[in-house]
Amino acid sequence: MKAWTCETLEGVQSLRLVEQPIPVPGAGEVTVAVHAASLNFPDLLIVEGRYQFKPALPFVPGSEFSGTVLAVGENVSHLKAGDRVASLGSVGGFATHACVSATAVSRVPDGVDLDDAAAFAFTYGTSHHALMDRAALRPGETVLVLGAAGGVGTAAVQIAKAAGARVIAGVSTDDKAALCREIGADATVNYATEPLREALKTLTGGKGPDVVYDPVGGDLAEPAFRSIAWRGRYLVVGFAGGGIPALPWNLALLKGASVVGVFWGDFARREPQAFARGLAELWDWYAAGRVKPVIDIRLPMDQIHAAYARMGSRQVRGKVLLVNH
Ligand SMILES: NC(=O)c1ccc[n+]([C@@H]2O[C@H](COP(=O)([O-])OP(=O)(O)OC[C@H]3O[C@@H](n4cnc5c(N)ncnc54)[C@H](OP(=O)(O)O)[C@@H]3O)[C@@H](O)[C@H]2O)c1
């Protein structure tokens, strides 16, 4: 097997493709032949030592992948060789084969292709937990999604529409705005060229969005929070823009608004049953055609540097896939 291995925390340039024997799964583990792995923003942070989870070196990055079970270790009863599976963890996917804890692996429902399965749970799970659980989004409400053409952003646009909300997609280019309209956004704002507050006033008749979904942070957060509607919910999802905003708290008072944290990884660990219910609902929505991963580009697994460069330079629309087939 071949695996992209991170030996130092100097970022993607330090990743090396290493050849090694296919691992035999130990107790509670499973070995999977990887079909495809998708890139999530934490995969960028983890090879620079900037992610909250810091695996021991050397490690193989790749937080989300799909494939076929090759072998299972002792005490694994929910999987068998030949099963089509998806895995969610922190590491392991950027390889031809992965040996991971069986608890991180679940069977892919019939009818779901393995490309979509590699690009689904991380982003849709996060956005579902954020919008449906943390913000308790109601039909007819207006949602502003920042970074709306990215991984979690495209998922948030589709989920908010599936929930009956009106969606305003905030993005940095007109191309990205066009993509967001294609996947269901009712309106778009290019925050690189238009003042965000004025655009939101016009688009909401002065009321502001009921929910703001923010995976970007930085300088966008304050104008977005100042625009929020009475009883609005501001979802703190991530800081892809680099800066962690510091907001004046009086803004929350003035709007009767809530700042709501979203930490999907800990939600999965702390509330496994609610997590499983959310994912089951998402697979139902997928089967009904209400959500579908947006695949930006499919690259061969050996082109990992190009994949990372696309994400690092803010070019991704939806999800980048690294494929072995
Ligand atoms: N809280 C959680 O549980 C959770 C779970 C998953 C992901 N996240 C976080 O959510 C964020 C987005 O993840 P993702 O996988 O969706 O990433 P992504 O596909 O790269 O999307 C990030 C978006 O952020 C915007 N952006 C603004 N400044 C940027 C910059 N300097 N570099 C890159 N992007 C920039 C871009 O949109 P524009 O160009 O349109 O501005 C881009 O589309 C990350 O911070 C990630 O850690 C959080």
Side-chain angles (χ1 to χ4, degrees), residues 146-285:
L146 300 173
V152 295
T154 46
V157 169
Q158 294 180 0
I159 287 168
K161 286 306 295 175
R166 173 175 182 245
V167 176
I168 302 173
V171 289
S172 68
T173 69
D174 292 344
D175 266 17
K176 290 184 176 182
L179 168 71
C180 291
R181 283 192 296 273
E182 269 169 42
I183 62 167
D186 299 282
T188 55
V189 184
N190 180 338
Y191 44 61
T193 58
E194 300 171 67
L196 185 60
R197 286 200 70 193
E198 281 66 29
L200 291 174
K201 258 188 209 150
T202 308
L203 288 169
T204 62
K207 176 177 178 259
D210 302 292
V211 173
V212 177
Y213 180 99
D214 183 4
V216 181
D219 295 341
L220 284 178
E222 188 165 334
F225 197 42
R226 282 185 186 279
S227 306
I228 208 164
W230 174 249
R231 283 185 180 268
R233 288 87 80 204
Y234 194 101
L235 294 165
V236 180
V237 180
F239 312 104
I244 297 182
L247 292 171
W249 282 26
N250 65 315
L251 299 179
L253 181 154
L254 291 171
K255 295 291 182 71
S258 313
V259 177
V260 184
V262 176
F263 189 176
W264 184 62
D266 247 31
F267 165 64
R269 276 183 287 277
R270 290 168 186 266
E271 303 178 45
Q273 287 173 349
F275 165 80
R277 276 197 303 276
L279 217 47
E281 178 164 56
L282 282 168
W283 283 126
D284 287 346
W285 287 1

Side-chain angles (χ1 to χ4, degrees), residues 58 61 72 96 104 111 120 157 164 173 203 214 276 303 323-324:
V72 301
T96 57
F120 192 70
V157 169
T173 69
L203 288 169
D214 183 4
Q303 288 188 26
V323 296
N324 284 314

